[in-house]
């Protein structure tokens, strides 16, 4: 079965420190991988995606993510966290077999950046 | 401005009273989808549509209906709402099936069923 796991419900980090939000996936075939951010009372906003090529992808607001095929992971990272990064983050995978059109979302990780 | 527009943003209703949540996109996207977001469960797909007059069930379709008569609109219909349908609903769209693109989301519709 296709699935996405975000093992941490919440991540706390001090402003200026590096942050990592974890994501692992289980899909058949080659996945397309995405990260989205949700601010309070807002819809999900696209941050970055991995389709093919370089395993390190860079996205909006200084975020980046590393695709690791052997560990089936796609962790979101930022070298220096800002208080304004505090939000809910979702990892998603789009499977390229079986149900071609389907996105699978993780349960979300709440990022708290403290001043 | 490219956007996905949902209405209403907030709604409180009572059990059994039919309601419709509208969704419209101005990006000429073929694919549209509805999700519900519940704490600890992430986003779960309700229904999706690959194009006009083509719809299919997602993971949690029970109690919902959809239609796709026009490319830009994809309304979500709750014929007889129940309290377990209290949730935050998102409409999303993206270009067609072979595109590698991301989903574009609306701002969400918070529904409370009493």
């Amino acid at each position: 079965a296709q699935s996405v796991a975000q093992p941490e419900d919440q991540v706390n980090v001090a402003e200026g420190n590096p942050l990592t939000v974890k994501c692992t996936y289980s899909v058949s075939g080659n996945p397309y991988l995405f990260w989205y951010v949700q601010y309070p009372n807002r819809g999900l906003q696209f941050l970055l995606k991995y389709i093919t090529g370089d395993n390190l992808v860079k996205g909006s607001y200084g975020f980046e993510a590393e695709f690791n095929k052997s560990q089936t992971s796609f962790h979101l990272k930022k070298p220096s966290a800002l208080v304004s990064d505090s939000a809910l983050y979702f990892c998603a995978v789009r499977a390229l077999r079986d149900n071609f059109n389907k996105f699978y979302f993780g349960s979300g990780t709440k990022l708290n950046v403290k001043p | 401005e490219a956007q996905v527009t949902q209405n209403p943003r907030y709604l409180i209703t009572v059990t059994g009273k039919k309601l419709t949540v509208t969704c419209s996109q101005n990006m000429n996207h073929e694919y549209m989808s509805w999700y519900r977001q519940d704490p600890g469960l992430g986003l779960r797909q309700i229904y999706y549509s690959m194009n006009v007059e083509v719809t299919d069930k997602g993971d949690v379709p029970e109690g919902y209906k959809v239609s796709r008569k026009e490319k830009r609109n994809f309304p979500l219909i709750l014929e007889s709402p129940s309290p377990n349908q209290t949730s935050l609903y998102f409409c999303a769209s993206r270009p067609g099936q072979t595109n590698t693109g991301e989903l574009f989301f609306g701002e969400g519709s918070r529904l409370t069923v009493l």
Side-chain angles (χ1 to χ4, degrees):
Chain A
Q2 328 282 15
S3 65
V4 178
Q6 293 181 242
E8 301 155 317
D9 291 335
Q10 186 166 297
V11 170
N12 298 311
V13 64
E15 187 173 33
N17 284 358
L19 69 88
T20 299
V21 183
K22 296 179 180 177
C23 172
T24 60
Y25 64 91
S26 174
V27 297
S28 54
N30 292 320
Y32 292 172
L33 295 155
F34 302 80
W35 275 101
Y36 287 85
V37 59
Q38 184 183 29
Y39 298 102
N41 300 314
R42 302 297 301 276
L44 278 72
Q45 298 178 29
F46 169 74
L47 276 179
L48 50 80
K49 65 183 176 185
Y50 172 82
I51 303 300
T52 187
D54 193 346
N55 289 342
L56 184 66
V57 293
K58 295 186 184 296
S60 306
Y61 312 121
F63 284 93
E64 57 189 29
E66 186 166 14
F67 171 62
N68 188 318
K69 188 172 184 177
S70 62
Q71 296 186 4
T72 61
S73 67
F74 190 55
H75 301 330
L76 181 70
K77 300 181 181 184
K78 187 173 183 180
S80 179
L82 300 172
V83 173
S84 57
D85 292 330
S86 298
L88 187 58
Y89 291 80
F90 288 98
C91 180
V93 61
R94 181 178 163 195
L96 298 188
R97 286 188 187 176
D98 299 336
N99 197 326
F100 182 73
N101 288 291
K102 200 162 186 175
F103 277 76
Y104 298 87
F105 285 85
S107 55
T109 299
K110 186 176 181 183
L111 174 65
N112 296 312
V113 182
K114 300 190 188 311
Chain B
E1 180 188 354
Q3 59 186 4
V4 178
T5 304
Q6 299 178 223
N7 282 295
R9 293 288 312 279
Y10 302 91
L11 179 63
I12 300 174
T13 189
V14 296
T15 299
K17 186 176 181 181
K18 180 180 178 180
L19 68 91
T20 299
V21 186
T22 63
C23 174
S24 180
Q25 50 93 4
N26 62 1
M27 295 169 279
N28 201 36
H29 287 168
E30 288 82 8
Y31 180 92
M32 298 184 74
S33 182
W34 276 102
Y35 295 86
R36 59 177 290 172
Q37 181 182 6
D38 301 290
L41 297 177
L43 275 76
R44 294 180 292 168
Q45 190 179 45
I46 303 171
Y47 269 94
Y48 67 94
S49 169
M50 289 165 53
N51 214 324
V52 175
E53 302 292 358
V54 181
T55 64
D56 207 349
K57 296 178 181 178
D59 296 314
V60 289
E62 295 78 19
Y64 305 94
K65 286 175 57 177
V66 293
S67 68
R68 188 90 182 274
K69 295 185 171 63
E70 304 166 286
K71 196 172 187 179
R72 64 182 291 126
N73 296 324
F74 190 45
L76 180 69
I77 303 158
L78 286 73
E79 292 272 3
S80 182
S82 62
N84 64 12
Q85 292 178 298
T86 292
S87 188
L88 179 58
Y89 291 87
F90 288 102
C91 180
S93 72
R94 65 168 173 79
Q97 181 170 341
T98 58
N99 190 281
T100 58
E102 64 274 17
L103 286 167
F104 291 80
F105 283 85
E107 294 283 277
S109 297
R110 186 169 292 281
L111 171 65
T112 301
V113 183
L114 301 175

